[in-house]
């Protein structure tokens, strides 16, 4: 599970889930490029990694444009000489019901989540192909993209689109040794604070109370750190053959996710680290991987 000599960019990693991904990648040995729109937040994230013995730099820029994607990859090359892992996590919310959502509400969210994932993944793919030794792209989706969520037309649409792009890119990049996967986390963040049925559990966590087994197992809900192990696993050599998949993770639950159901669900008390995922992979998940591209069954001619 070591990521020594690997370099990762994690967009939107100043806090929340993105910071948890960056810290876990660094803990496994990767040098990390932190990204946020706020200098103070980005610098604090870098400090948290460096103080823990890791290596990190910051690139402050809003995700969405090609210019920012190029700036992020250039930042990795300038600081560390290469790029091996791209994690597209940056996102924002503009929640409103359909009849109240403005064009700006829709376009702003889609620009960061969907276009930002596209531009950053494209820039990473160009760099990986130039380097010639493969690479890892991990795109962050959401349960909202798989099952919907009230008031989140823009967010749900973008997250569903991300999973669709992941499955396409896995086909396109396979020959270059580049894997592409999606992770749909369920964790206590600013983006889940608006979900009504999660409120009691979020309040419990704020009060330092342990989450009940129902929340961690059946809901698959937990902390950002609970969702970080799958990213490090997918970035590692242990996941070299895993591509075009969507994973749901949170609390004690990890599952492969096909539309609209979860398959091959596994539970582990205390949550899933990258190491425990690697140990359980062959016996729990590998036989349930979804077909990608040319491996899909063909509908008989009528």
């Amino acid at each position: 599970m070591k990521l020594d000599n690997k370099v990762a960019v994690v967009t939107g990693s100043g806090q929340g889930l993105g910071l948890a991904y960056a810290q876990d990648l660094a803990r496994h040995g990767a040098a990390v490029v932190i990204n946020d729109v706020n200098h103070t937040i980005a610098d604090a994230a870098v400090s948290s990694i460096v103080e823990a013995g890791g290596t990190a730099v910051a690139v402050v820029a809003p995700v969405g444009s090609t210019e920012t994607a190029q700036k992020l990859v250039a930042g990795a090359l300038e600081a560390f000489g290469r790029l091996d892992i791209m994690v597209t996590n940056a996102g924002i919310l503009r929640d409103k019901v359909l009849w109240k959502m403005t064009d700006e509400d829709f376009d702003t969210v889609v620009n960061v989540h969907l276009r930002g994932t596209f531009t950053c993944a494209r820039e990473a793919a160009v760099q990986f192909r130039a380097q010639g030794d493969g690479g890892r792209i991990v795109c962050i989706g959401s349960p909202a993209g798989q099952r919907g969520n009230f008031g989140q037309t823009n967010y749900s649409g973008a997250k569903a689109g991300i999973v669709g792009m992941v499955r396409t890119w896995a086909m396109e990049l396979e020959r270059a040794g580049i894997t592409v996967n999606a992770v749909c986390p369920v964790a206590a963040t600013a983006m889940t604070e608006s979900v009504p049925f999660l409120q009691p559990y979020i309040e419990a966590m704020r009060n330092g109370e342990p989450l009940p087994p129902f929340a961690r197992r059946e809901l698959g809900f937990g902390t950002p750190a609970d969702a970080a192990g799958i990213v490090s696993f997918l970035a590692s050599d242990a996941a070299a053959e895993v591509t075009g998949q969507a994973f749901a993770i949170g609390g004690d639950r990890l599952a492969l996710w096909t539309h609209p159901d979860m398959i091959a669900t596994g539970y582990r008390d205390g949550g899933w680290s990258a190491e425990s995922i690697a140990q359980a992979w062959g016996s729990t998940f590998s036989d349930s991987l979804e077909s990608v591209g040319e491996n899909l069954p063909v509908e008989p001619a009528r």
Side-chain angles (χ1 to χ4, degrees):
M1 293 310 306
K2 291 184 177 180
L3 298 175
D4 297 345
N5 302 317
K6 302 293 185 182
V7 178
V9 168
V10 184
T11 69
S13 49
Q15 55 192 339
L17 282 163
L19 179 57
Y21 303 146
Q23 290 173 333
D24 203 64
L25 288 165
R27 185 174 68 82
H28 286 90
V32 181
V33 176
I34 293 289
N35 162 249
D36 200 273
V37 295
N38 183 296
H39 281 276
T40 301
I41 291 174
D43 290 343
V46 169
S47 296
S48 74
I49 289 173
V50 172
E51 290 169 3
T55 303
V57 297
V59 171
V60 177
V63 167
S65 68
T66 295
E67 179 183 5
T68 291
Q70 292 173 339
K71 187 175 181 180
L72 288 166
V73 173
L77 298 180
E78 291 168 8
F80 307 116
R82 61 180 292 111
L83 177 68
D84 303 280
I85 304 154
M86 171 64 75
V87 182
T88 61
N89 168 78
I92 60 172
L93 292 177
R94 296 290 187 274
D95 291 357
K96 288 178 184 175
V97 291
L98 174 61
W99 56 95
K100 293 184 178 180
M101 184 170 289
T102 66
D103 290 356
E104 183 180 2
D105 293 330
F106 185 87
D107 292 343
T108 300
V109 169
V110 169
N111 180 65
V112 177
H113 285 277
L114 192 63
R115 183 179 177 86
T117 294
F118 162 68
T119 56
C120 289
R122 180 180 61 184
E123 202 64 28
V126 170
Q127 181 60 33
F128 292 157
R129 286 169 57 82
Q131 290 173 178
D133 51 4
R136 301 284 188 268
I137 299 174
V138 182
C139 302
I140 307 305
S142 169
Q146 305 299 298
R147 293 183 172 172
N149 192 35
F150 190 93
Q152 292 193 322
T153 294
N154 44 13
Y155 180 76
S156 299
K159 289 302 191 182
I162 286 170
V163 174
M165 293 194 302
V166 161
R167 300 195 192 284
T168 297
W169 296 339
M171 290 186 276
E172 296 176 344
L173 297 171
E174 183 177 12
R175 289 187 178 181
I178 302 167
T179 66
V180 192
N181 292 283
V183 173
C184 301
V186 184
T189 68
M191 292 193 181
T192 56
E193 286 182 353
S194 62
V195 181
F197 73 88
L198 292 177
Q199 294 306 307
Y201 307 119
I202 293 174
E203 189 63 29
M205 295 174 73
R206 286 175 178 161
N207 295 332
E209 301 169 10
L211 287 175
F214 175 80
R216 291 192 60 87
R217 291 178 67 85
E218 277 65 39
L219 294 180
F221 180 71
T223 68
D226 290 326
I230 186 63
V231 173
S232 294
F233 168 73
L234 292 171
S236 75
D237 291 341
E241 305 302 320
V242 182
T243 192
Q245 307 301 310
F247 296 87
I249 189 166
D252 297 334
R253 185 178 70 190
L254 171 65
L256 283 164
W257 205 327
T258 185
H259 303 282
D261 300 318
M262 294 181 189
I263 56 175
T265 302
Y267 298 94
R268 183 175 184 273
D269 290 342
W272 291 87
S273 66
E275 290 79 6
S276 62
I277 294 170
Q279 290 168 3
W281 185 258
S283 61
T284 307
F285 300 104
S286 62
D287 290 341
S288 299
L289 295 180
E290 288 198 89
S291 297
V292 176
E294 62 269 18
N295 296 322
L296 289 172
V298 178
E299 182 180 2
R302 296 179 180 178

